[in-house]
Amino acid sequence: MAASDLTSDALVLGIETSCDETAAAVVRGGRELVSSVVASQDDLHGRFGGVVPEIASRRHSEVITLVVREALEEARVGWSDLAAIAVTHGPGLVGSLLVGVAAAKGYAIAAGLPLVGVNHLEAHLVANFVHEPGQQAPAQELFPAVCLIVSGGHTDLILVEDLGQYRLIGWTRDDAAGEALDKAARVLGLGYPGGPAVDRAAQQGRADAFAFPRPVVPDSFDFSFSGLKTALLRTVEGLRTSRDGLPVADLAASFQEAVVDTLVRNTTAAATAYGARRVLLAGGVAANSRLRRKMSEWQRQTHIPVAFPPLRLCTDNAAMVAAAGFFKALRHGFDPLELDVFSSMPMAQKG
Ligand code: KG4
Ligand code: ZN
């Protein structure tokens, strides 16, 4: 089948193994989620406080066939109902990516299906155009848009001129926002993964209890979170000498507020500067309740629409991969079975 034959009801199987989630999903026409299965490895990596690459690839290898089978069963489809297989081939942990890509190639050969390689970051962005069954599809054609991709590995501002036409207009000079939240959670003893734990703890705390900095990188839309992290460490060290316990909820709320304020400030400034007709949020940190609330407030003030993926499509999943693969195949065709993996894989040129 030629990629141009992909119709609006074509079913694509997505496979995602770039980090510590083994995921498979079926999406119709790049838009409608039919099934999505995510096997998280949080239990394995939690005691190390972060992802251990070799443990991650071994677990992917153990569960990938089960996860794919479950995604097909949940979708009530067989191999012959599918039009293509999409798989993340970067950026990510090479050993983990290889498991997903090798599995996708095996399935493609066995089922006689075409293959398309997907950039994980573009998949996060495309998650904004996927909807749950029975729900209305979000309007897709509102460009230029500014997209904040904010995850454990990335904090990128992307100017989206159209699907597939991206420019990187801001990035982090040091830590990613999710990484900063994960580290904060460790310092505060909130466990792993840290972002959701900080989000929960912050709901019991006061965001103005501690005055953390909102780091600025002058003359750019870039981010820097390392100074903020140091500020938290110093504050916590200072408080530990006191006889009262750590005010964890207040610290979590104040730290989260500084991260969110910084994200909102740069994203909205970039949206204004580039005349964005819409703002898209993507990646694990786009699940953050405070970020969602503050961006919604900005939407009310400016009437510039802000989109977030459905919550379960913010963190790593394969529905976003299936959707991104559908649209990429329409633009560029399918990929050969020689498809390689890449630890670093920018989705856009700087500038
Ligand atoms: O996109 P993702 O699942 O994986 C990467 O591609 O990195 O993002 C994971 C990141 C982690 O840092 C996690 O702590 C963060 O997203 N995260 C959150 C929330 N849920 C996940 N951060 C803040 N609030 C949340 N509710
Ligand atoms: Zn991700």
Side-chain angles (χ1 to χ4, degrees):
M1 186 182 81
S4 53
D5 296 336
L6 281 175
T7 53
S8 61
D9 61 354
L11 294 173
V12 174
L13 170 71
I15 295 179
E16 157 65 42
T17 62
S18 66
C19 191
D20 62 341
E21 255 90 37
T22 319
V26 176
V27 170
R28 181 177 286 113
R31 299 283 220 138
E32 189 191 342
L33 190 151
V34 184
S35 71
S36 177
V37 176
V38 180
S40 162
Q41 303 183 0
D42 287 348
D43 56 329
L44 281 180
H45 303 285
R47 65 198 158 107
F48 301 106
V51 179
V52 183
E54 186 172 323
I55 296 180
S57 29
R58 282 173 192 272
R59 176 56 72 91
H60 286 311
S61 173
E62 280 166 15
V63 302
I64 183 82
T65 53
L66 303 173
V67 169
V68 168
R69 193 194 305 159
E70 205 177 317
L72 294 180
E73 279 173 12
E74 198 182 293
R76 297 172 188 277
V77 299
W79 291 102
S80 59
D81 300 311
L82 298 175
I85 299 176
V87 62
T88 303
H89 69 132
L93 301 169
V94 163
S96 288
L97 289 164
L98 279 171
V99 176
V101 168
K105 289 179 183 180
Y107 288 127
I109 294 168
L113 288 168
L115 185 71
V116 55
V118 169
N119 181 312
H120 180 83
L121 298 172
E122 185 182 15
H124 272 303
L125 184 152
V126 172
N128 275 288
F129 307 127
V130 180
H131 62 93
E132 301 275 358
Q135 287 189 0
Q136 219 194 332
Q140 194 176 323
E141 292 77 20
L142 261 184
F143 300 117
V146 161
C147 180
L148 172 69
I149 301 182
V150 64
S151 69
H154 292 85
T155 307
D156 289 341
L157 277 168
I158 309 280
L159 178 65
V160 187
E161 277 149 348
D162 201 344
L163 265 192
Q165 286 179 36
Y166 309 120
R167 276 163 58 196
L168 183 62
I169 56 173
W171 57 91
T172 177
R173 300 288 179 98
D174 39 61
D175 294 350
E179 199 179 350
L181 288 163
D182 289 339
K183 284 181 187 162
R186 207 175 315 158
V187 171
L188 299 176
L190 288 170
Y192 174 89
V198 170
D199 197 345
R200 271 193 306 276
Q203 283 164 25
Q204 314 300 324
R206 286 186 304 122
D208 59 358
F210 295 92
F212 290 122
R214 272 68 173 154
V216 177
V217 180
D219 304 321
S220 76
F221 299 114
D222 293 352
F223 301 94
S224 165
F225 292 108
S226 65
L228 178 56
K229 192 182 63 193
T230 311
L232 174 70
L233 279 173
R234 286 225 184 88
T235 306
V236 168
E237 275 162 22
L239 288 165
R240 281 204 205 284
T241 53
S242 92
R243 275 190 300 143
D244 307 325
L246 268 188
V248 171
D250 283 348
L251 285 164
S254 304
F255 185 83
Q256 174 181 270
E257 197 73 1
V259 172
V260 167
D261 280 350
T262 309
L263 294 173
V264 171
R265 183 196 64 211
N266 287 17
T267 306
T268 56
T272 308
Y274 285 93
R277 296 179 64 204
R278 184 161 60 175
V279 172
L280 308 169
L281 273 88
V285 182
N288 183 266
S289 60
R290 190 72 183 141
L291 178 62
R292 290 170 93 98
R293 183 151 347 119
K294 285 212 152 177
M295 286 305 300
S296 302
E297 274 165 25
W298 181 78
Q299 166 176 293
R300 266 196 300 282
Q301 287 160 14
T302 60
H303 302 289
I304 298 172
V306 177
F308 313 93
L311 266 182
R312 66 170 168 153
L313 300 189
C314 287
T315 44
D316 287 351
N317 66 87
M320 66 183 195
V321 176
F326 176 89
F327 292 112
K328 188 191 150 200
L330 281 179
R331 292 195 307 270
H332 298 296
F334 293 116
D335 286 310
L337 283 170
E338 289 76 27
L339 186 74
D340 202 358
V341 302
F342 302 93
S343 58
S344 132
M345 194 181 185
M347 68 174 272
Q349 296 298 320
K350 288 182 180 175

